[in-house]
């Protein structure tokens, strides 16, 4: 079966020149040196406007000296009728006056045909990146205004009802077709790899996604893993080995825990992203990278930059598109939804009937900060389902898991009581402070005394005793 060629960029680049040989040569140069293979060629300048009318072209490379309709005339027509399409002018003459005149007419850039091949490829890549960013910005604006998802089924594995997450989904759809890297950040357990897989499924890259956890890899292992090696490249290299870049082919290369990458490896990754090519260990022949790069980390990259542990240039290269996944404690509405999802999932996998959830359990979970995020909740549910035997799901395993984490309610009082008490006002009696704490705990626990007692770190009998005292004072009118 013949594989479908993966075209880059997503829009076509039109090459206009009356010399067929030059068109073929430029097409090969763009493909080999820049990975640009979505190219159309036109040797008759009179046909250009008709080609543009079809709406497939996003960038034009235009020769100046052509018969019938000159490059200068054609440039003016394109700028007037299709101002959104950048035009790179190519001339066989290195004349400053000509370049200046073309820029005045609205040209995006100017290159000399015979001596600036490398600069020309870089200029085309620069124009493509600009067009992609402009289109992505328009797409993002359109999606946020319309609140729509074109492919909601792709996000089925990410269970959420949180509005912030839906905004993230719209952003992911908008940038998924881009060739630029995507940086995914968020605490451990929020589902960064799920997001990476979603980006891969939405992208133009048709091949598989290859994942590498780079944490703990030294520079040599990282290079061998990513780039591969030839036979005899080093001691023990008895056979050639393909690197993960090659295995990813036209798919997605996912580098997890990128914040733990060593500085020497960061330099190699930066060069790969800048040049789009690499050398397998022991080889003098470069290979092109066609995979989309997606990276993830739970580290604070801004802090690591300040400490000299992460290169600033690599950071800005990676975060062309940045997706930050909020922790579960900031998405409280997702907790009951995820609880139901994992209960059903666990019941199916364990061959058990889905149990009835005690009404106190969602309240208990709503007051827990989930340091392990969604992964921790899933682990809690599976542990509870493994031990489950009766009709009603027991809360004991959930409580044990929270106790292992040393769960305590968050501190409400800042150091020295700053911001809590007004200096000019007298301090309230101790029993009033305790009463307020008890009432707040009861409100958060939905009236459940057992959960309220856990929130303030006392036993349920102690809480009941305190409530009786509170009731007695209210009856006495204190």
């Amino acid at each position: 079966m013949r594989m479908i060629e993966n075209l880059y960029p997503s829009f076509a680049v039109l090459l206009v020149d009356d010399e067929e040989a030059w068109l073929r040569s430029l097409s090969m140069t763009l493909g080999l040196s820049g990975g640009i293979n979505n190219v159309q060629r036109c040797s008759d300048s009179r046909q250009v406007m008709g080609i543009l009318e079809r709406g497939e072209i996003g960038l034009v490379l235009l020769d100046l000296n052509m018969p019938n309709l000159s490059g200068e005339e054609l440039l003016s027509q394109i700028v007037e009728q299709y101002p959104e399409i950048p035009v790179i002018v190519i001339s066989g003459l290195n004349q400053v006056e000509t370049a200046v005149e073309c820029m005045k007419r609205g040209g995006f850039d100017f290159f000399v045909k015979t001596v600036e091949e490398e600069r020309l490829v870089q200029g085309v890549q620069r124009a493509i990146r600009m067009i992609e960013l402009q289109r992505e910005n328009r797409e993002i604006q359109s999606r946020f205004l319309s609140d729509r998802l074109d492919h909601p089924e792709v996000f089925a594995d990410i269970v959420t009802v949180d509005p912030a997450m839906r905004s993230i989904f719209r952003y992911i759809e908008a940038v998924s077709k881009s060739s630029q890297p995507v940086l995914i950040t968020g605490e451990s357990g929020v589902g960064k790899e799920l997001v990476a897989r979603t980006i891969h499924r939405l992208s133009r890259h048709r091949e598989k996604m290859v994942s590498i956890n780079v944490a703990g890899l030294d520079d040599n292992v990282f290079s061998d893993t990513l780039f591969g090696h030839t036979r005899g490249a080093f001691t023990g290299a008895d056979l050639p080995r393909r690197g993960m870049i090659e295995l990813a082919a036209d798919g997605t290369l996912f580098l997890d825990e990128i914040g733990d990458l060593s500085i020497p490896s960061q330099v190699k990754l930066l060069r790969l992203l800048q040049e789009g090519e690499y050398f397998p260990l022991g080889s003098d022949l470069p290979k092109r990278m066609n995979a989309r790069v997606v990276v993830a980390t739970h580290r604070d990259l801004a802090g690591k930059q300040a400490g000299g542990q992460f290169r600033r240039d690599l950071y800005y290269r990676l975060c062309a598109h940045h997706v930050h996944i909020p922790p579960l404690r900031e998405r409280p509405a997702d907790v009951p939804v995820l609880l139901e999802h994992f209960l059903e999932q666990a019941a199916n996998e364990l061959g058990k009937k889905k149990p009835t959830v005690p009404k106190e359990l969602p309240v208990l979970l709503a007051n827990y900060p989930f340091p392990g995020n969604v992964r921790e909740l899933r682990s809690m549910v599976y542990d509870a389902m493994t031990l489950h035997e009766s009709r009603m799901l027991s809360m004991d395993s959930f409580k044990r898991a929270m106790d292992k984490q040393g769960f305590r309610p968050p501190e409400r009082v800042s150091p020295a009581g700053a911001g809590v008490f007004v200096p000019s006002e007298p301090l309230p009696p101790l029993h009033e402070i305790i009463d307020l704490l008890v009432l707040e705990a009861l409100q958060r626990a939905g009236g459940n005394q057992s959960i309220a007692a856990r929130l303030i770190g006392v036993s349920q009998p102690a809480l009941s005793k305190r409530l009786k005292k509170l009731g007695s004072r209210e009856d006495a009118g204190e």
Side-chain angles (χ1 to χ4, degrees):
M1 182 178 177
R2 183 179 178 271
M3 291 182 61
I4 301 173
E5 186 179 18
N6 190 22
L7 295 178
Y8 173 75
S10 58
F11 51 85
V13 179
L14 178 63
L15 313 182
V16 185
D17 196 301
D18 61 309
E19 298 179 17
E20 287 282 0
W22 167 249
L23 289 175
R24 287 193 299 271
S25 173
L26 182 55
S27 297
M28 292 180 61
T29 299
L30 292 175
L32 294 174
S33 300
I36 301 164
N37 58 3
N38 193 358
V39 173
Q40 294 185 26
R41 303 196 297 250
C42 177
S43 58
D44 188 342
S45 57
R46 293 171 296 184
Q47 298 176 3
V48 169
M49 300 307 291
I51 295 174
L52 296 181
E53 191 175 349
R54 295 201 293 266
E56 303 168 357
I57 307 300
L59 175 65
V60 175
L61 273 63
L62 178 65
D63 181 39
L64 274 187
N65 302 310
M66 294 181 292
N68 301 315
L69 185 62
S70 71
E72 289 94 337
E73 294 175 284
L74 192 51
L75 173 62
S76 297
Q77 291 183 24
I78 296 173
V79 170
E80 180 182 352
Q81 297 184 40
Y82 300 96
E84 75 282 3
I85 300 179
V87 179
I88 294 177
V89 177
I90 305 173
S91 174
L93 301 176
N94 188 1
Q95 295 178 335
V96 175
E97 296 84 359
T98 304
V100 170
E101 181 61 28
C102 289
M103 302 306 284
K104 285 182 178 179
R105 288 175 179 261
F108 177 79
D109 214 335
F110 181 94
F111 293 97
V112 178
K113 181 181 289 188
T114 55
V115 298
E116 297 186 320
E117 185 176 282
E118 183 177 349
R119 286 189 60 230
L120 173 59
V121 173
Q122 292 173 350
V124 174
Q125 291 173 326
R126 185 166 57 249
I128 289 172
R129 285 195 293 270
M130 182 200 74
I131 297 166
E132 287 179 335
L133 288 173
Q134 288 176 341
R135 292 188 172 194
E136 287 158 16
N137 286 336
R138 289 195 296 268
E139 181 70 10
I140 290 171
Q141 291 174 2
S142 171
R143 288 181 186 277
F144 275 81
L145 289 172
S146 65
D147 190 30
R148 78 175 195 272
L149 287 176
D150 290 339
H151 302 283
E153 71 283 356
V154 177
F155 299 93
D157 292 339
I158 307 175
V159 179
T160 181
V161 294
D162 185 71
M165 290 296 291
R166 186 169 178 85
S167 296
I168 291 171
F169 292 171
R170 293 198 296 273
Y171 178 78
I172 289 172
E173 276 199 339
V175 305
S176 61
K177 300 295 190 294
S178 169
S179 62
Q180 298 303 306
V182 180
L183 170 65
I184 306 171
T185 57
E187 296 178 5
S188 294
V190 294
K192 295 187 290 294
E193 186 165 356
L194 275 178
V195 172
R197 294 191 179 280
T198 300
I199 293 171
H200 169 68
R201 287 195 290 268
L202 283 167
S203 74
R204 61 184 176 83
H205 296 79
R206 300 182 180 90
E207 298 298 315
K208 62 183 178 181
M209 178 172 122
V210 175
S211 302
I212 311 168
N213 189 319
V214 301
L217 297 185
D218 65 33
D219 186 51
N220 292 330
V221 175
F222 174 78
S223 299
D224 188 29
T225 302
L226 211 61
F227 307 137
H229 62 252
T230 61
R231 181 181 178 185
F234 50 83
T235 303
D238 300 325
L239 294 172
R241 177 178 179 272
R242 295 198 300 165
M244 293 299 184
I245 299 174
E246 188 173 351
L247 291 175
D250 288 325
T252 300
L253 180 67
F254 176 53
L255 304 179
D256 201 5
E257 302 299 349
I258 197 69
D260 296 317
L261 195 63
S262 68
I263 292 293
S265 296
Q266 290 178 33
V267 174
K268 293 178 179 178
L269 178 58
L270 175 63
R271 187 178 303 121
L272 173 69
L273 295 173
Q274 287 176 334
E275 300 175 5
E277 62 181 26
Y278 64 97
F279 292 86
L281 301 184
S283 174
D284 296 328
L285 299 175
K287 292 187 175 183
R288 284 212 62 80
M289 178 181 71
N290 296 318
R292 169 83 172 277
V293 175
V294 179
V295 302
T297 182
H298 70 282
R299 302 289 189 186
D300 175 14
L301 292 188
K304 291 180 76 73
Q305 285 180 60
Q309 299 170 301
F310 202 87
R311 293 180 62 97
R312 185 178 298 274
D313 47 4
L314 176 58
Y315 172 75
Y316 286 111
R317 176 69 68 168
L318 289 174
C319 71
H321 304 302
H322 183 191
V323 177
H324 179 73
I325 310 301
L328 185 55
R329 63 181 171 274
E330 295 179 8
R331 300 148 42 195
D334 280 351
V335 174
V337 179
L338 285 165
L339 175 62
E340 286 294 320
H341 172 73
F342 289 139
L343 280 173
E344 186 169 345
Q345 195 178 71
N348 291 335
E349 291 184 18
L350 297 173
K352 294 184 175 183
K353 186 177 180 180
K354 183 181 173 184
T356 301
V357 177
K359 63 180 181 179
E360 298 87 359
L361 180 57
V363 178
L364 176 66
L365 296 177
N367 286 282
Y368 181 63
F370 285 103
N373 289 291
V374 179
R375 185 187 296 134
E376 183 181 11
L377 176 57
R378 183 182 186 277
S379 177
M380 284 181 174
V381 172
Y382 270 70
D383 184 47
M385 281 298 298
T386 302
L387 301 172
H388 170 66
E389 293 179 350
S390 61
R391 184 183 63 82
M392 182 75 72
L393 183 68
S394 172
M395 294 173 55
D396 292 342
S397 63
F398 291 92
K399 293 177 179 178
R400 284 195 299 269
M402 293 178 184
D403 290 339
K404 285 181 182 178
Q405 291 290 343
F407 169 54
R408 291 291 181 271
E411 286 291 335
R412 303 294 293 177
V413 181
S414 52
V420 178
F421 304 110
V422 180
S424 60
E425 298 287 335
L427 290 173
L430 180 60
H431 71 83
E432 286 188 11
I433 297 297
I434 296 175
D435 290 347
L436 288 172
L437 178 63
V438 168
L439 293 173
E440 176 68 15
L442 276 172
Q443 183 177 347
R444 293 191 182 194
N448 186 289
Q449 291 188 22
S450 176
I451 296 174
R454 291 179 62 87
L455 290 177
I456 58 177
V458 299
S459 65
Q460 186 172 346
L463 179 67
S464 297
K465 186 177 180 181
R466 175 60 58 181
L467 287 170
K468 287 179 182 178
K469 287 184 179 180
L470 174 59
S472 298
R473 283 195 296 271
E474 288 178 348
D475 290 340
E478 293 182 16

